[in-house]
Amino acid sequence: EAGVAQSPRYKIIEKRQSVAFWCNPISGHATLYWYQQILGQGPKLLIQFQNNGVVDDSQLPKDRFSAERLKGVDSTLKIQPAKLEDSAVYLCASRIAGGNTGELFFGEGSRLTVL
Amino acid sequence: GDSVTQMEGPVTLSEEAFLTINCTYTATGYPSLFWYVQYPGEGLQLLLKATKADDKGSNKGFEATYRKETTSFHLEKGSVQVSDSAVYFCALSDPTGGFKTIFGAGTRLFVKA
């Protein structure tokens, strides 16, 4: 079974530029999460989708971050314009629909460096 | 809101030493509890889980017991190996909140040969 796929693995941009990250969850997983993991910290939830609807985006900085999951499968997270403090690893995770434990499956992450 | 607090690292142990990493949580509902591990250069992966009070999760020699009375889920291993060197994250998932999953800050473990 293929795991959660993310791209790109690494991205370096200047501040005020834009960047987009892509995630393809495990087939059949209805719930998709984007987390931000700053060096030395735990993952912080940015947004949670159930199929193509948003369940929680309370910690998404909506003035610069956006995310979509148009067909309920893959998802894109965009940052525009980027700030220095956005340097982090962006993790995508998915969860099987109907599972009662909440176990998440993670991709390898996309590491963003903002200069 | 829900939160997870775990002991700060790094933790440095010699091979075959006993490991405890403390984790406490705050939740309004009845969450499931998890330990995830991140090995160097790899993504986060589930180590073990417990879904209700007094459940014990175990995997690869690691154990943790869901203690509702103390709101804790401490990770233990009787004899660590060099290959256990990693960052360990305690997490909770609240089914009443759509399985929103909250992570602790992580504890880095170094095991010396």
Side-chain angles (χ1 to χ4, degrees):
Chain A
E1 179 183 76
V4 177
Q6 290 189 245
S7 67
R9 289 293 310 279
Y10 304 93
K11 189 74 176 178
I12 300 174
I13 61 173
E14 303 269 339
K15 61 184 179 184
R16 291 187 290 273
Q17 288 186 325
S18 64
V19 63
F21 302 111
W22 173 82
C23 172
N24 192 32
I26 293 172
S27 178
H29 283 200
T31 309
L32 185 148
Y33 306 76
W34 282 103
Y35 285 87
Q36 179 192 57
Q37 187 178 16
I38 293 172
L39 187 64
Q41 299 181 18
K44 171 189 162 186
L45 180 65
L46 293 176
I47 189 167
Q48 177 182 344
F49 291 96
Q50 178 75 18
N51 295 309
N52 61 350
V54 175
V55 174
D56 188 308
D57 64 355
S58 57
Q59 298 206 76
L60 187 73
K62 298 180 185 65
D63 57 334
R64 298 183 301 104
F65 286 65
S66 64
E68 60 184 15
R69 194 184 183 200
L70 292 176
K71 296 183 179 178
V73 181
D74 56 349
S75 176
T76 302
L77 175 71
K78 296 180 181 178
I79 307 174
Q80 181 179 15
K83 293 185 175 182
L84 297 176
E85 59 261 36
D86 299 331
S87 294
V89 177
Y90 290 86
L91 298 168
C92 180
S94 67
R95 187 179 68 82
I96 192 168
N100 66 353
T101 66
E103 174 185 350
L104 301 185
F105 295 83
F106 283 87
E108 293 189 326
S110 295
R111 182 179 297 276
L112 173 65
T113 302
V114 182
L115 303 176
Chain B
D2 295 352
S3 66
V4 175
T5 303
Q6 58 182 109
M7 63 186 285
E8 289 189 21
V11 174
T12 302
L13 296 173
S14 297
E15 210 165 21
E16 299 183 5
F18 184 85
L19 169 70
T20 299
I21 300 178
N22 291 336
C23 171
T24 57
Y25 68 91
T26 302
T28 52
Y30 299 94
S32 295
L33 301 175
F34 305 85
W35 279 99
Y36 285 84
V37 60
Q38 192 169 34
Y39 296 104
E42 297 184 18
L44 273 164
Q45 57 187 278
L46 180 69
L47 178 61
L48 54 82
K49 63 186 179 188
T51 59
K52 60 183 187 298
D54 300 324
D55 267 3
K56 177 184 284 189
S58 62
N59 186 25
K60 300 182 180 180
F62 290 89
E63 292 183 340
T65 301
Y66 190 140
R67 300 289 188 198
K68 189 171 184 295
E69 64 276 14
T70 55
T71 62
S72 65
F73 192 56
H74 305 320
L75 182 68
E76 297 182 336
K77 186 175 186 182
S79 176
V80 294
Q81 305 299 312
V82 172
S83 57
D84 294 326
S85 297
V87 183
Y88 293 83
F89 294 92
C90 186
L92 69 80
S93 179
D94 182 359
T96 62
F99 291 103
K100 178 177 177 179
T101 302
I102 306 297
F103 286 82
T107 303
R108 182 175 294 276
L109 170 66
F110 292 105
V111 181
K112 303 180 297 184

